Amino acid sequence: MAQMTGKQYKESLKKVKPVIYYMGEKVDDITKHPAFIPHINAAALTYDMALAPEFEELCSAKSHLTGERINRFTHIHQNHDDLIKKVKMLRAIGQQTGSCFQRCVGFDGMNATYSVSYDIDKKFGTGYHERFKNFVKMIQTKDLMPSGAMTDPKGDRSLSPSQQKDPDMYVHVIEKRKDGIVVSGAKAHITGAVNSHGHLVMPTTAMREGDKDYAVCFYVPIDAPGVMHIFGRQSNDTRKCDCSMDQGNCEYGCVGGEALIVFDKVFVPNEYVFMCGEWEYAGELVERFATFHRQNYGGCKGGLADVLVGAVYSLALAQGTAKASHVREKLAEMIHLAETIYCCSIACSCQGFAQPAGSFQADPLMANVTKLNVTRNVYEIARLAHDITGGLLATMPSEFDLHDPTVGKWVDKYMKGSSSVPAETRMRLIRLIDAMTCGTALAESMHGAGSPQAQMIMIERRGSLERKKKLAEKLAKIGDQPVLIC
Ligand SMILES: Cc1cc2nc3c(=O)[nH]c(=O)nc-3n(C[C@H](O)[C@H](O)[C@H](O)COP(=O)(O)OP(=O)(O)OC[C@H]3O[C@@H](n4cnc5c(N)ncnc54)[C@H](O)[C@@H]3O)c2cc1C
């Protein structure tokens, strides 16, 4: 079987037995728990869209390893077209879910590890790349969803992994055996972790020789002994449990569903170890992963912005403000900001290049510019949405009051805007805007794929300042400069 349907994906989650905690309780079947269902639905859509005739061209691909048609989220990019289709796919899915659909992190981790494992082998004569290819084949043929687990808890940020007082602040190897390794530590904020099939674990930072034990990359199935998941709380998450329209987006939620993954002396067999001690390549793996992941954000957040613009426009019609020139202008500005980040994602894909492994990588400088713009534009889009929505965004009564036999008629009467639009329609739109722009939903645009400073550092490093200085000096006739500066 090369591709699963959404239904088969949901069934596959019942076949594994991961350890998952939420709100102080162990959850045995997440497919039946309201806190998890929206996130599972969003991931399931990535399976269904790959099989839908309207979307299969974007959401599926031909495997270069097996020749089979596979879900694009398991594909290794082979050319520019793959990089561009990835961004278009993310926008298309974002338009359908209005929320994070989680599958890109593992996808980006696989693409980064694919090329880095090749480079490590070339330098050290190790055998990681063949192993990794076998792993990718397994993921592709079973259509699995691995999470991308890079971010460690990190403890004191001013100290390197090996300098931490508690050695578990970064995932590390505690024992090497003939048949594999034993690891301890944790990964924080991992998107889709509880509804993945396993975790692709990567180092989170560049390392020095002293950090050798922390330079480790591996895969573990979600229910491997010693792996534990603690699901994070989200803004307004009790609304998920009352299953009301107050959720805003009851089908797909407002963010990916993140978890802290604890690795307590977990055994990883050699076949799933893709880096172990090659500290020189930890930074390279982080950089390549970050490039792929930052490339995404104008795609998925562009798709989400399309939904948000639609919600705000519909609400303006329901409130009688849609014809006001400042509202039209603000809607146009929201579209402009969304298209700007999308342009960035497309541009860094077009400027991509082949790695020695044969796979394709987006342009790192432009990918970082993409994500830095996302940290700003998405907040500005939300600010404009809040402006047009009005104060009910923060003060609106619940669905329970709308349907209450005593106060319902008052809620219905006073929540009306334009007389031609039912109060419930207006309330539903406001809740959707609330879900898409408040709290947890926005933080992902700031910190997901790295905080803004991480992008600034990359932009400064790759911005060719010395060359630009020479260009200016040549024209200003400072010193002896060649006619053409390359
Ligand atoms: C919704 C969401 C989903 C995510 N999903 C994933 C996922 O699927 N997989 C994954 O691996 N990660 C994921 N992340 C993690 C994300 O990559 C991190 O949040 C991000 O890299 C920032 O790390 P941090 O949260 O530890 O913040 P910190 O690193 O603590 O950053 C907080 C602030 O401190 C600054 N800072 C940090 N270190 C230093 C230093 N040494 N000196 C000076 N300033 C410093 C930063 O610039 C920032 O301003 C997700 C995050 C979010 C919010």
Side-chain angles (χ1 to χ4, degrees):
M1 179 176 65
Q3 289 189 76
M4 280 199 269
T5 62
K7 189 162 175 264
Q8 286 168 327
Y9 158 70
K10 288 180 184 176
E11 280 159 9
S12 72
L13 297 179
K14 288 181 189 288
K15 292 184 190 144
V16 285
K17 295 278 165 244
V19 177
I20 296 169
Y21 280 80
Y22 175 59
M23 304 265 289
E25 280 176 11
K26 190 162 177 288
V27 182
D28 288 326
D29 185 356
I30 57 164
T31 64
K32 294 205 177 105
H33 194 298
F36 304 90
I37 289 171
H39 313 298
I40 295 171
N41 287 344
L45 203 71
T46 67
Y47 285 89
D48 282 333
M49 282 179 74
L51 294 164
E54 312 88 299
F55 293 106
E56 66 179 347
E57 179 61 24
L58 282 187
C59 301
S60 68
K62 187 177 166 195
S63 166
H64 74 294
L65 296 172
T66 65
E68 295 265 311
R69 200 81 202 156
I70 51 166
N71 191 299
R72 186 171 293 282
F73 282 102
T74 68
H75 186 47
I76 302 296
H77 313 296
Q78 297 299 301
N79 46 45
H80 290 105
D81 193 44
D82 279 340
L83 291 171
I84 294 166
K85 280 195 174 131
K86 172 199 188 193
V87 172
K88 291 187 173 179
M89 167 181 78
L90 298 176
R91 187 163 188 175
I93 304 175
Q95 288 174 345
Q96 304 296 325
T97 60
S99 180
C100 171
F101 34 92
Q102 311 140 40
R103 236 177 139 183
C104 63
V105 206
F107 180 24
D108 296 332
M110 285 203 300
N111 273 277
T113 310
Y114 186 89
S115 63
V116 172
S117 60
Y118 180 92
D119 293 353
I120 298 176
D121 287 358
K122 277 272 161 284
K123 172 102 191 245
F124 297 113
T126 41
Y128 296 129
H129 190 61
E130 269 316 299
R131 255 186 214 175
F132 194 71
K133 277 183 11 190
N134 288 333
F135 164 73
V136 173
K137 268 190 224 165
M138 186 271 288
I139 296 286
Q140 290 181 342
T141 47
K142 294 186 175 173
D143 203 0
L144 299 183
M145 167 173 160
S147 79
M150 177 167 275
T151 312
D152 296 86
K154 297 185 288 197
D156 183 336
R157 270 79 176 140
S158 67
L159 301 175
S160 77
S162 58
Q163 290 169 338
Q164 300 286 330
K165 198 163 177 195
D166 180 345
D168 294 338
M169 282 299 153
Y170 289 76
V171 169
H172 60 126
V173 179
I174 56 169
E175 190 188 338
K176 281 186 185 160
R177 295 185 194 162
K178 224 173 150 193
D179 52 348
I181 57 175
V182 181
V183 297
S184 275
K187 291 287 180 183
H189 325 278
I190 305 308
T191 297
V194 296
N195 51 297
S196 297
H197 300 102
H199 308 303
L200 179 58
V201 176
M202 299 160 279
T204 200
T205 185
M207 303 209 179
R208 302 200 183 107
E209 194 166 1
D211 302 319
K212 216 172 168 179
D213 292 341
Y214 297 83
V216 61
C217 173
F218 59 89
Y219 175 78
V220 278
I222 190 168
D223 53 1
V227 179
M228 189 185 297
H229 308 80
I230 306 164
F231 193 64
R233 294 216 62 173
Q234 300 169 345
S235 319
N236 300 328
D237 56 1
T238 49
R239 291 184 192 175
K240 285 195 273 193
C241 298
D242 63 36
C243 299
S244 69
M245 78 178 197
D246 294 338
Q247 280 180 80
N249 182 354
C250 60
E251 190 74 16
Y252 301 115
C254 67
V255 75
E258 279 67 33
L260 175 71
I261 312 177
V262 177
F263 300 90
D264 184 19
K265 303 183 197 76
V266 175
F267 174 70
V268 185
N270 283 332
E271 63 173 318
Y272 285 162
V273 177
F274 313 121
M275 172 194 281
C276 185
E278 293 80 9
W279 57 272
E280 301 92 331
Y281 283 88
E284 196 55 44
L285 183 52
V286 175
E287 242 178 63
R288 286 188 208 175
F289 168 81
T291 295
F292 283 126
H293 209 40
R294 292 170 192 169
Q295 172 206 7
N296 298 347
Y297 270 69
C300 63
K301 300 297 173 257
L304 267 54
D306 294 332
V307 177
L308 187 58
V309 168
V312 171
Y313 175 48
S314 187
L315 182 68
L317 287 167
Q319 300 189 153
T321 57
K323 288 194 180 136
S325 62
H326 81 97
V327 171
R328 307 291 299 190
E329 213 171 274
K330 282 166 186 161
L331 285 165
E333 177 63 4
M334 289 170 78
I335 295 168
H336 158 241
L337 291 164
E339 295 304 330
T340 302
I341 54 176
Y342 183 62
C343 289
C344 289
S345 282
I346 292 289
C348 67
S349 310
C350 294
Q351 293 291 96
F353 55 90
Q355 291 285 359
S359 55
F360 262 62
Q361 170 90 30
D363 179 81
L365 174 61
M366 294 173 105
N368 279 278
V369 169
T370 305
K371 173 65 208 324
L372 190 61
N373 271 298
V374 166
T375 67
R376 297 168 181 175
N377 290 18
V378 170
Y379 278 75
E380 180 61 11
I381 291 169
R383 190 183 74 79
L384 294 167
H386 287 191
D387 178 350
I388 296 172
T389 303
L392 279 182
L393 183 73
T395 65
M396 192 169 68
S398 77
E399 182 186 358
F400 298 101
D401 294 313
L402 176 68
H403 294 136
D404 182 81
T406 311
V407 297
K409 64 176 186 236
W410 302 116
V411 175
D412 189 57
K413 179 180 165 80
Y414 291 114
M415 289 304 111
K416 238 191 200 116
S418 159
S419 60
S420 61
V421 179
E424 184 173 330
T425 301
R426 184 178 178 215
M427 291 174 77
R428 283 185 178 278
L429 289 167
I430 292 174
R431 285 292 185 228
L432 177 60
I433 295 165
D434 179 1
M436 294 187 76
T437 58
C438 293
T440 324
L442 277 189
E444 198 217 333
S445 291
M446 180 65 71
H447 291 291
S451 312
Q453 193 55 22
Q455 287 109 64
M456 277 296 193
I457 291 167
M458 289 300 295
I459 290 167
E460 195 269 336
R461 201 184 293 160
R462 289 184 173 263
S464 310
L465 272 176
E466 284 307 318
R467 179 174 174 271
K468 286 170 183 161
K469 177 170 163 272
K470 281 194 189 133
L471 290 171
E473 287 174 352
K474 187 187 84 167
L475 294 179
K477 309 273 181 225
I478 299 169
D480 283 339
Q481 302 290 347
V483 179
L484 289 176
I485 292 171
C486 299

